[in-house]
Amino acid sequence: MSGAKGSFTFRLSDSDRSALEHIAARMGCDRGAALRLLIRRADQSLEREGCFVTNSRLFRVKLVSKNGET
C-alpha cells in the first residue's frame, strides 16, 4: 500500500465483521481495502461532519485537516 503511514485495529462484533466481509465481496476487494474505499468515499461526500454507520451502531465523526482546521 503506497503512502501508508500507520495502521489501526478495529474490534468488530460478529455481525459487523460479517457485514464488512459482505461489503468487501461486493466491492471485489479485501476487508482492509473496503474500509479504505469507504473512508475515501465518506471524505468526498461529507461536508466536514457526519456519521459512520454500521449495522448496529452510529458514530459521529468530524473531519480535521493535518493542521487542525475543520
Side-chain angles (χ1 to χ4, degrees), residues 36-49:
R36 288 187 295 276
L37 287 168
L38 291 169
I39 290 168
R40 288 184 192 119
R41 287 180 184 176
D43 189 37
Q44 294 169 1
S45 65
L46 294 175
E47 297 280 327
R48 281 290 166 208
E49 296 183 24

Side-chain angles (χ1 to χ4, degrees), residues 3-34:
K5 295 186 179 184
S7 63
F8 294 88
T9 300
F10 290 91
R11 302 206 190 288
L12 301 174
S13 68
D14 289 339
S15 62
D16 288 341
R17 181 183 302 252
S18 176
L20 180 56
E21 288 174 0
H22 179 73
I23 291 167
R26 287 177 53 198
M27 296 174 110
C29 57
D30 63 34
R31 292 178 302 186

Side-chain angles (χ1 to χ4, degrees), residues 45-59:
S45 65
L46 294 175
E47 297 280 327
R48 281 290 166 208
E49 296 183 24
C51 298
F52 182 82
V53 181
T54 67
N55 283 345
S56 60
R57 299 179 85 176
L58 178 136
F59 301 92

